[in-house]
Amino acid sequence: MWNDSNMKSLYVNATNVVAGREEVMVLMGVNRAWKMNQEKVDVDLAERVVMTPFTAKRLAIMLGATLKAYEAKYGKIEIGIPEVNKG
């Protein structure tokens, strides 16, 4: 059972991921840039989520499946970065 009594919501539009041997960190924040194609981007970091590599892999699989279903329903999401070839 999922207990949501202490849950909070957080909006982010900027993320970064860093990893070491025993942990993966997801940094989340809000990009304060309001001009398109701005050279320097300032991000106000709000949260750092630290997890084991095993949990990170499960999260990656779940995010991939969720985005695949989203794109099947609403269309491809273009972010301007070529997809990595899985081969």
Coordinates of all heavy atoms in Angstrom, one line a residue:
M1 N 0.8 -1.2 0.0 CA 0.0 0.0 0.0 C 0.9 1.2 0.0 O 1.9 1.3 0.7 CB -0.9 0.0 1.2 CG -1.8 1.2 1.3 SD -3.1 1.1 2.6 CE -2.2 1.6 4.0
W2 N 0.5 2.2 -0.8 CA 1.3 3.5 -0.9 C 0.6 4.5 0.1 O -0.5 4.7 0.0 CB 1.2 4.0 -2.3 CG 1.9 3.2 -3.3 CD1 1.4 2.1 -4.0 CD2 3.2 3.4 -3.8 NE1 2.3 1.6 -4.9 CE2 3.5 2.3 -4.7 CE3 4.3 4.2 -3.5 CZ2 4.7 2.2 -5.4 CZ3 5.5 4.1 -4.2 CH2 5.7 3.1 -5.1
N3 N 1.4 5.0 1.0 CA 0.9 6.0 2.0 C 1.3 7.3 1.5 O 2.5 7.7 1.4 CB 1.6 5.7 3.3 CG 1.1 6.7 4.4 OD1 0.4 7.6 4.1 ND2 1.6 6.5 5.6
D4 N 0.3 8.1 1.1 CA 0.6 9.5 0.5 C 0.3 10.6 1.5 O 0.3 11.8 1.2 CB -0.2 9.7 -0.7 CG -1.7 9.7 -0.5 OD1 -2.2 9.5 0.7 OD2 -2.5 9.9 -1.4
S5 N 0.3 10.3 2.8 CA 0.0 11.3 3.8 C 1.0 12.4 3.9 O 0.7 13.5 4.3 CB -0.3 10.7 5.2 OG 0.9 10.0 5.6
N6 N 2.3 12.1 3.6 CA 3.4 13.1 3.7 C 3.9 13.5 2.3 O 4.9 14.2 2.2 CB 4.6 12.5 4.5 CG 4.2 12.4 5.9 OD1 3.6 13.3 6.5 ND2 4.6 11.2 6.5
M7 N 3.1 13.2 1.3 CA 3.5 13.5 -0.1 C 3.4 14.9 -0.4 O 2.5 15.6 0.1 CB 2.7 12.7 -1.1 CG 3.1 12.9 -2.5 SD 2.2 11.8 -3.7 CE 0.6 12.6 -3.6
K8 N 4.4 15.5 -1.2 CA 4.3 16.8 -1.7 C 4.5 16.8 -3.2 O 5.1 15.8 -3.7 CB 5.3 17.7 -1.0 CG 6.7 17.3 -1.2 CD 7.7 18.3 -0.5 CE 9.1 17.8 -0.8 NZ 10.1 18.7 -0.2
S9 N 4.0 17.8 -3.9 CA 4.2 17.9 -5.3 C 5.3 18.9 -5.6 O 5.4 19.9 -4.9 CB 2.9 18.3 -6.0 OG 2.0 17.3 -5.8
L10 N 6.0 18.7 -6.6 CA 7.1 19.6 -7.0 C 7.1 19.7 -8.5 O 7.1 18.7 -9.2 CB 8.5 19.1 -6.5 CG 9.7 19.8 -7.0 CD1 9.8 21.1 -6.3 CD2 10.9 18.9 -6.6
Y11 N 7.1 21.0 -9.0 CA 7.2 21.2 -10.5 C 8.7 21.4 -10.8 O 9.4 22.2 -10.2 CB 6.4 22.4 -10.9 CG 6.7 22.7 -12.4 CD1 6.1 22.0 -13.4 CD2 7.6 23.7 -12.7 CE1 6.3 22.3 -14.7 CE2 7.9 24.0 -14.1 CZ 7.2 23.3 -15.1 OH 7.5 23.5 -16.4
V12 N 9.2 20.7 -11.8 CA 10.6 20.8 -12.3 C 10.5 20.9 -13.8 O 9.7 20.3 -14.5 CB 11.5 19.7 -11.8 CG1 11.6 19.7 -10.3 CG2 11.2 18.4 -12.4
N13 N 11.4 21.7 -14.4 CA 11.6 21.7 -15.9 C 13.0 21.6 -16.2 O 13.4 21.8 -17.4 CB 10.9 22.9 -16.5 CG 11.6 24.2 -16.0 OD1 12.6 24.2 -15.4 ND2 11.0 25.3 -16.4
A14 N 13.9 21.3 -15.3 CA 15.3 21.0 -15.5 C 15.8 19.9 -14.6 O 15.5 19.9 -13.4 CB 16.1 22.3 -15.2
T15 N 16.5 19.0 -15.2 CA 17.1 17.9 -14.4 C 18.5 17.6 -14.9 O 18.9 17.9 -16.0 CB 16.2 16.6 -14.6 OG1 16.3 16.2 -16.0 CG2 14.8 16.8 -14.2
N16 N 19.2 16.9 -14.0 CA 20.5 16.4 -14.3 C 20.7 15.1 -13.5 O 20.1 15.0 -12.4 CB 21.6 17.4 -13.9 CG 23.0 17.0 -14.6 OD1 23.1 16.2 -15.4 ND2 24.0 17.7 -14.1
V17 N 21.5 14.2 -14.0 CA 21.7 12.9 -13.3 C 23.2 12.7 -13.2 O 24.0 12.9 -14.2 CB 21.1 11.8 -14.1 CG1 21.3 10.4 -13.4 CG2 19.6 12.0 -14.3
V18 N 23.7 12.4 -12.0 CA 25.1 12.0 -11.7 C 25.1 10.7 -11.0 O 24.2 10.4 -10.2 CB 25.8 13.1 -11.0 CG1 25.9 14.4 -11.8 CG2 25.1 13.5 -9.7
A19 N 26.2 10.0 -11.2 CA 26.3 8.7 -10.5 C 27.7 8.3 -10.1 O 28.6 8.7 -10.7 CB 25.8 7.6 -11.5
G20 N 27.7 7.6 -9.0 CA 29.0 7.0 -8.5 C 28.7 5.5 -8.5 O 27.7 5.0 -9.0
R21 N 29.6 4.7 -8.0 CA 29.5 3.3 -7.9 C 28.3 2.8 -7.2 O 27.6 1.8 -7.5 CB 30.8 2.7 -7.3 CG 30.7 1.2 -7.2 CD 32.1 0.6 -6.9 NE 32.0 -0.8 -6.5 CZ 31.7 -1.8 -7.3 NH1 31.5 -1.6 -8.5 NH2 31.7 -3.1 -6.8
E22 N 28.0 3.4 -6.1 CA 26.9 2.9 -5.2 C 25.6 3.8 -5.1 O 24.7 3.4 -4.4 CB 27.5 2.8 -3.8 CG 28.6 1.7 -3.8 CD 29.1 1.4 -2.4 OE1 28.5 1.9 -1.4 OE2 30.2 0.8 -2.3
E23 N 25.6 4.9 -5.9 CA 24.4 5.7 -5.8 C 24.2 6.5 -7.1 O 25.2 6.8 -7.8 CB 24.4 6.6 -4.6 CG 25.5 7.7 -4.6 CD 25.5 8.4 -3.3 OE1 24.9 8.0 -2.3 OE2 26.1 9.5 -3.3
V24 N 23.0 6.8 -7.4 CA 22.6 7.7 -8.5 C 21.9 8.8 -8.0 O 21.0 8.6 -7.1 CB 21.8 6.9 -9.6 CG1 21.3 7.8 -10.7 CG2 22.6 5.7 -10.1
M25 N 22.2 10.0 -8.4 CA 21.5 11.2 -7.9 C 20.8 11.9 -9.1 O 21.4 12.1 -10.1 CB 22.5 12.2 -7.3 CG 23.0 11.7 -5.9 SD 24.2 12.9 -5.2 CE 25.7 12.5 -6.1
V26 N 19.6 12.3 -8.8 CA 18.8 13.0 -9.8 C 18.6 14.4 -9.2 O 18.0 14.5 -8.1 CB 17.4 12.4 -10.1 CG1 16.6 13.2 -11.1 CG2 17.6 10.9 -10.6
L27 N 19.2 15.4 -9.9 CA 19.0 16.8 -9.4 C 17.8 17.4 -10.2 O 17.7 17.3 -11.4 CB 20.3 17.6 -9.7 CG 21.6 17.0 -9.1 CD1 22.8 17.8 -9.6 CD2 21.5 16.9 -7.6
M28 N 16.9 18.1 -9.4 CA 15.7 18.6 -10.0 C 15.6 20.1 -9.7 O 15.8 20.5 -8.5 CB 14.5 17.9 -9.5 CG 14.5 16.4 -9.9 SD 13.1 15.6 -9.2 CE 13.4 13.9 -9.7
G29 N 15.2 20.9 -10.6 CA 15.0 22.3 -10.4 C 14.1 23.0 -11.4 O 13.6 22.3 -12.3
V30 N 14.2 24.3 -11.4 CA 13.4 25.1 -12.3 C 14.3 26.0 -13.0 O 15.1 26.8 -12.4 CB 12.3 25.9 -11.5 CG1 11.6 26.9 -12.5 CG2 11.3 25.0 -10.8
N31 N 14.3 26.0 -14.3 CA 15.1 26.8 -15.2 C 14.4 28.2 -15.2 O 13.3 28.4 -15.5 CB 15.0 26.2 -16.6 CG 15.7 27.1 -17.7 OD1 16.1 28.2 -17.4 ND2 15.8 26.6 -18.9
R32 N 15.2 29.2 -14.8 CA 14.7 30.6 -14.7 C 14.8 31.4 -15.9 O 14.3 32.5 -16.0 CB 15.4 31.3 -13.5 CG 15.1 30.7 -12.2 CD 15.7 31.6 -11.1 NE 17.1 31.5 -11.0 CZ 17.9 32.6 -10.9 NH1 17.5 33.8 -10.9 NH2 19.2 32.4 -10.9
A33 N 15.3 30.8 -17.0 CA 15.5 31.5 -18.3 C 14.1 31.7 -18.9 O 13.3 30.9 -19.0 CB 16.3 30.7 -19.2
W34 N 13.9 32.9 -19.3 CA 12.6 33.2 -20.0 C 12.8 33.6 -21.5 O 11.9 33.7 -22.2 CB 11.9 34.3 -19.3 CG 12.6 35.6 -19.2 CD1 13.5 36.0 -18.2 CD2 12.5 36.7 -20.1 NE1 14.0 37.2 -18.5 CE2 13.4 37.7 -19.6 CE3 11.8 37.0 -21.2 CZ2 13.6 38.9 -20.2 CZ3 12.0 38.2 -21.9 CH2 12.9 39.1 -21.4
K35 N 14.1 33.7 -21.9 CA 14.4 34.0 -23.3 C 14.8 32.7 -24.0 O 15.6 31.9 -23.4 CB 15.5 35.0 -23.4 CG 15.2 36.3 -22.9 CD 16.5 37.2 -23.0 CE 16.2 38.6 -22.3 NZ 17.4 39.4 -22.4
M36 N 14.3 32.4 -25.2 CA 14.6 31.2 -25.9 C 16.1 31.4 -26.4 O 16.5 32.5 -26.7 CB 13.7 31.0 -27.1 CG 12.3 30.7 -26.7 SD 12.1 29.2 -25.7 CE 12.4 28.0 -26.9
N37 N 16.8 30.3 -26.5 CA 18.2 30.2 -27.0 C 19.1 31.1 -26.2 O 20.1 31.6 -26.8 CB 18.2 30.6 -28.5 CG 17.4 29.6 -29.4 OD1 17.4 28.5 -29.1 ND2 16.7 30.2 -30.3
Q38 N 18.9 31.2 -25.0 CA 19.7 31.9 -24.1 C 21.0 31.1 -23.8 O 21.0 29.9 -23.6 CB 19.0 32.2 -22.8 CG 19.6 33.1 -21.8 CD 18.7 33.4 -20.7 OE1 17.5 33.5 -20.9 NE2 19.2 33.5 -19.5
E39 N 22.2 31.8 -23.9 CA 23.5 31.1 -23.7 C 23.6 30.5 -22.3 O 24.0 29.3 -22.2 CB 24.7 32.0 -24.0 CG 24.9 32.2 -25.5 CD 26.2 32.9 -25.8 OE1 27.2 32.7 -25.0 OE2 26.3 33.6 -26.8
K40 N 23.4 31.3 -21.3 CA 23.6 30.9 -19.9 C 22.2 30.6 -19.3 O 21.3 31.4 -19.5 CB 24.3 31.9 -19.1 CG 24.6 31.5 -17.7 CD 25.3 32.5 -16.9 CE 25.5 32.1 -15.5 NZ 25.9 33.1 -14.6
V41 N 22.1 29.5 -18.7 CA 20.8 29.1 -18.1 C 21.1 28.9 -16.6 O 22.0 28.3 -16.2 CB 20.3 27.7 -18.7 CG1 19.0 27.3 -18.0 CG2 20.1 27.9 -20.2
D42 N 20.2 29.6 -15.8 CA 20.3 29.5 -14.3 C 19.2 28.6 -13.9 O 18.0 28.8 -14.3 CB 20.2 30.8 -13.7 CG 21.4 31.7 -13.9 OD1 22.5 31.2 -13.8 OD2 21.2 32.9 -14.1
V43 N 19.5 27.6 -13.1 CA 18.5 26.6 -12.6 C 18.5 26.7 -11.0 O 19.6 26.6 -10.4 CB 18.8 25.2 -13.0 CG1 17.9 24.2 -12.4 CG2 18.8 25.1 -14.5
D44 N 17.3 26.9 -10.5 CA 17.2 26.9 -9.0 C 16.9 25.5 -8.6 O 15.8 24.9 -8.9 CB 16.0 27.8 -8.6 CG 16.3 29.3 -8.7 OD1 17.4 29.7 -8.6 OD2 15.3 30.0 -9.0
L45 N 17.9 24.8 -8.0 CA 17.8 23.4 -7.6 C 16.8 23.3 -6.5 O 16.9 24.1 -5.5 CB 19.1 22.8 -7.2 CG 20.1 22.6 -8.4 CD1 21.4 22.0 -7.9 CD2 19.5 21.6 -9.4
A46 N 15.9 22.4 -6.5 CA 14.9 22.2 -5.5 C 15.0 20.9 -4.7 O 14.8 20.9 -3.5 CB 13.5 22.3 -6.1
E47 N 15.4 19.9 -5.4 CA 15.5 18.6 -4.8 C 16.7 17.8 -5.4 O 17.0 17.9 -6.5 CB 14.2 17.7 -5.0 CG 13.0 18.3 -4.4 CD 12.9 18.3 -2.9 OE1 13.6 17.4 -2.3 OE2 12.2 19.1 -2.3
R48 N 17.2 16.9 -4.5 CA 18.2 15.9 -5.0 C 17.7 14.5 -4.5 O 17.5 14.3 -3.3 CB 19.5 16.2 -4.3 CG 20.6 15.1 -4.7 CD 21.9 15.4 -4.1 NE 21.8 15.3 -2.6 CZ 22.8 15.5 -1.8 NH1 24.0 15.8 -2.2 NH2 22.6 15.3 -0.5
V49 N 17.4 13.7 -5.4 CA 16.9 12.3 -5.1 C 18.1 11.4 -5.3 O 18.7 11.3 -6.3 CB 15.7 11.9 -6.1 CG1 15.2 10.5 -5.8 CG2 14.6 13.0 -6.0
V50 N 18.4 10.7 -4.2 CA 19.5 9.7 -4.2 C 18.9 8.3 -4.1 O 18.1 8.1 -3.3 CB 20.4 10.0 -3.0 CG1 21.6 9.1 -3.0 CG2 20.9 11.5 -3.0
M51 N 19.4 7.4 -5.0 CA 18.9 6.1 -5.0 C 20.0 5.1 -5.4 O 21.1 5.5 -5.9 CB 17.8 5.9 -6.0 CG 18.1 6.2 -7.4 SD 16.7 6.4 -8.5 CE 16.3 8.1 -8.3
T52 N 19.8 3.8 -5.2 CA 20.7 2.8 -5.6 C 20.7 2.7 -7.1 O 19.7 3.0 -7.7 CB 20.4 1.5 -4.9 OG1 19.2 1.0 -5.5 CG2 20.3 1.5 -3.4
P53 N 21.7 2.1 -7.7 CA 21.7 1.9 -9.1 C 20.5 0.9 -9.5 O 20.0 1.1 -10.6 CB 23.1 1.2 -9.4 CG 24.0 1.8 -8.4 CD 23.1 1.9 -7.1
F54 N 20.2 0.0 -8.6 CA 19.1 -0.9 -8.9 C 17.8 -0.2 -9.0 O 16.9 -0.4 -9.9 CB 19.0 -2.1 -7.9 CG 20.3 -2.9 -7.9 CD1 21.3 -2.7 -6.9 CD2 20.4 -3.9 -8.8 CE1 22.4 -3.4 -6.9 CE2 21.6 -4.7 -8.8 CZ 22.6 -4.4 -7.9
T55 N 17.5 0.7 -8.1 CA 16.3 1.5 -8.1 C 16.3 2.4 -9.3 O 15.3 2.6 -9.9 CB 16.2 2.3 -6.8 OG1 16.2 1.4 -5.7 CG2 15.0 3.2 -6.8
A56 N 17.5 3.0 -9.6 CA 17.6 3.9 -10.8 C 17.2 3.1 -12.1 O 16.5 3.7 -13.0 CB 19.0 4.5 -10.9
K57 N 17.7 1.9 -12.2 CA 17.4 1.1 -13.4 C 15.9 0.8 -13.5 O 15.3 0.9 -14.5 CB 18.2 -0.2 -13.4 CG 17.9 -1.0 -14.6 CD 19.2 -1.6 -15.2 CE 18.9 -2.2 -16.5 NZ 20.1 -2.9 -17.0
R58 N 15.3 0.5 -12.3 CA 13.8 0.3 -12.3 C 13.1 1.5 -12.7 O 12.1 1.5 -13.5 CB 13.3 -0.2 -11.0 CG 13.7 -1.7 -10.7 CD 13.0 -2.2 -9.5 NE 13.4 -1.6 -8.2 CZ 14.4 -1.9 -7.5 NH1 15.2 -2.9 -7.8 NH2 14.6 -1.2 -6.4
L59 N 13.5 2.7 -12.2 CA 12.9 4.0 -12.6 C 13.1 4.2 -14.1 O 12.1 4.7 -14.7 CB 13.5 5.1 -11.8 CG 13.1 6.5 -12.1 CD1 11.6 6.7 -11.9 CD2 13.9 7.5 -11.3
A60 N 14.3 4.0 -14.6 CA 14.5 4.2 -16.1 C 13.5 3.4 -16.9 O 13.0 3.8 -17.9 CB 15.9 3.9 -16.4
I61 N 13.4 2.1 -16.5 CA 12.5 1.2 -17.2 C 11.0 1.7 -17.2 O 10.3 1.8 -18.2 CB 12.6 -0.2 -16.7 CG1 14.0 -0.8 -17.1 CG2 11.5 -1.1 -17.3 CD1 14.3 -2.1 -16.4
M62 N 10.6 2.1 -16.0 CA 9.2 2.6 -15.8 C 9.0 3.9 -16.6 O 8.0 4.1 -17.2 CB 8.9 2.8 -14.3 CG 8.7 1.4 -13.6 SD 8.2 1.6 -11.9 CE 9.6 2.3 -11.1
L63 N 10.0 4.8 -16.5 CA 9.9 6.1 -17.3 C 9.8 5.8 -18.8 O 9.0 6.4 -19.5 CB 11.0 7.0 -17.0 CG 11.0 7.8 -15.7 CD1 12.3 8.5 -15.4 CD2 9.8 8.7 -15.6
G64 N 10.6 4.9 -19.3 CA 10.6 4.6 -20.7 C 9.3 4.0 -21.1 O 8.7 4.4 -22.2
A65 N 8.7 3.1 -20.3 CA 7.4 2.5 -20.7 C 6.3 3.6 -20.6 O 5.4 3.6 -21.5 CB 7.1 1.4 -19.7
T66 N 6.4 4.5 -19.7 CA 5.4 5.5 -19.5 C 5.4 6.5 -20.7 O 4.4 6.9 -21.3 CB 5.6 6.3 -18.2 OG1 5.4 5.4 -17.1 CG2 4.6 7.4 -18.0
L67 N 6.7 6.9 -21.1 CA 6.8 7.8 -22.2 C 6.4 7.2 -23.5 O 5.8 7.8 -24.4 CB 8.2 8.3 -22.3 CG 8.6 9.3 -21.2 CD1 10.1 9.6 -21.2 CD2 7.8 10.6 -21.3
K68 N 6.7 5.9 -23.7 CA 6.3 5.2 -24.9 C 4.8 5.2 -25.0 O 4.2 5.4 -26.1 CB 6.8 3.7 -24.9 CG 6.6 2.9 -26.1 CD 7.2 1.6 -26.0 CE 7.0 0.8 -27.3 NZ 7.6 -0.5 -27.3
A69 N 4.1 4.9 -23.9 CA 2.6 4.9 -23.9 C 2.1 6.3 -24.2 O 1.1 6.5 -25.0 CB 2.1 4.4 -22.6
Y70 N 2.7 7.3 -23.6 CA 2.3 8.7 -23.8 C 2.4 9.1 -25.3 O 1.5 9.7 -25.9 CB 3.2 9.7 -23.0 CG 2.9 11.1 -23.2 CD1 2.0 11.8 -22.3 CD2 3.4 11.9 -24.2 CE1 1.7 13.1 -22.5 CE2 3.1 13.2 -24.4 CZ 2.3 13.8 -23.5 OH 2.0 15.1 -23.7
E71 N 3.6 8.8 -25.9 CA 3.8 9.1 -27.3 C 2.9 8.3 -28.2 O 2.4 8.8 -29.3 CB 5.3 8.8 -27.7 CG 6.2 9.9 -27.1 CD 7.6 9.7 -27.5 OE1 8.1 8.5 -27.7 OE2 8.4 10.7 -27.6
A72 N 2.5 7.1 -27.9 CA 1.5 6.4 -28.7 C 0.2 7.0 -28.7 O -0.6 7.0 -29.7 CB 1.4 4.9 -28.2
K73 N -0.1 7.7 -27.6 CA -1.5 8.3 -27.4 C -1.4 9.8 -28.0 O -2.4 10.2 -28.6 CB -1.9 8.3 -26.0 CG -3.3 8.9 -25.7 CD -3.7 8.7 -24.3 CE -5.1 9.1 -24.1 NZ -5.6 8.9 -22.7
Y74 N -0.4 10.5 -27.7 CA -0.4 11.9 -28.0 C 0.6 12.4 -29.1 O 0.6 13.5 -29.5 CB 0.0 12.7 -26.7 CG -1.1 12.5 -25.6 CD1 -0.7 11.8 -24.5 CD2 -2.3 13.1 -25.7 CE1 -1.6 11.6 -23.5 CE2 -3.3 12.9 -24.7 CZ -2.9 12.2 -23.6 OH -3.8 12.0 -22.6
G75 N 1.5 11.5 -29.5 CA 2.5 11.8 -30.6 C 3.9 12.0 -30.0 O 4.1 12.1 -28.8
K76 N 4.9 11.9 -30.9 CA 6.3 11.9 -30.5 C 6.6 13.2 -29.8 O 6.3 14.3 -30.2 CB 7.1 11.7 -31.7 CG 8.6 11.5 -31.4 CD 9.3 10.7 -32.5 CE 10.7 10.5 -32.2 NZ 11.0 9.7 -31.1
I77 N 7.4 13.1 -28.7 CA 8.0 14.3 -28.0 C 9.3 14.6 -28.6 O 10.2 13.8 -28.5 CB 8.1 14.0 -26.5 CG1 6.8 13.6 -25.9 CG2 8.7 15.2 -25.8 CD1 6.9 13.0 -24.5
E78 N 9.5 15.7 -29.2 CA 10.8 16.2 -29.8 C 11.5 17.1 -28.8 O 10.9 18.1 -28.4 CB 10.5 16.9 -31.1 CG 9.9 16.0 -32.2 CD 10.8 14.9 -32.7 OE1 12.1 15.0 -32.5 OE2 10.3 14.0 -33.3
I79 N 12.7 16.7 -28.4 CA 13.4 17.6 -27.5 C 14.7 18.1 -28.1 O 15.5 18.7 -27.4 CB 13.7 16.8 -26.2 CG1 14.5 15.6 -26.4 CG2 12.4 16.5 -25.4 CD1 15.0 14.9 -25.1
G80 N 15.0 17.8 -29.4 CA 16.1 18.4 -30.0 C 17.4 17.6 -29.8 O 18.5 18.1 -30.1
I81 N 17.3 16.4 -29.2 CA 18.5 15.6 -29.0 C 18.3 14.3 -29.7 O 17.2 13.6 -29.5 CB 18.7 15.4 -27.5 CG1 18.9 16.7 -26.8 CG2 19.9 14.4 -27.2 CD1 19.0 16.6 -25.3
P82 N 19.2 13.8 -30.5 CA 19.0 12.5 -31.2 C 18.9 11.4 -30.2 O 19.6 11.4 -29.2 CB 20.2 12.4 -32.1 CG 21.1 13.5 -31.8 CD 20.5 14.4 -30.9
E83 N 18.1 10.4 -30.5 CA 17.9 9.3 -29.6 C 19.2 8.4 -29.7 O 19.8 8.2 -30.8 CB 16.7 8.5 -30.0 CG 15.4 9.2 -29.6 CD 14.2 8.4 -29.8 OE1 14.3 7.1 -29.6 OE2 13.1 8.9 -30.0
V84 N 19.5 7.7 -28.6 CA 20.6 6.8 -28.6 C 20.2 5.5 -29.2 O 19.1 5.0 -29.0 CB 21.1 6.5 -27.1 CG1 22.2 5.5 -27.1 CG2 21.5 7.8 -26.5
N85 N 21.0 5.0 -30.1 CA 20.7 3.8 -30.8 C 20.9 2.6 -29.9 O 22.0 2.4 -29.3 CB 21.7 3.6 -32.0 CG 21.0 3.5 -33.3 OD1 19.8 3.4 -33.3 ND2 21.7 3.5 -34.4
K86 N 19.9 1.8 -29.7 CA 20.0 0.6 -28.9 C 20.3 -0.5 -29.8 O 19.5 -0.9 -30.6 CB 18.7 0.4 -28.1 CG 18.4 1.5 -27.1 CD 17.1 1.2 -26.4 CE 16.8 2.3 -25.4 NZ 15.5 2.1 -24.7
G87 N 21.5 -1.1 -29.7 CA 21.8 -2.2 -30.6 C 22.5 -3.2 -30.0 O 22.8 -4.1 -29.6

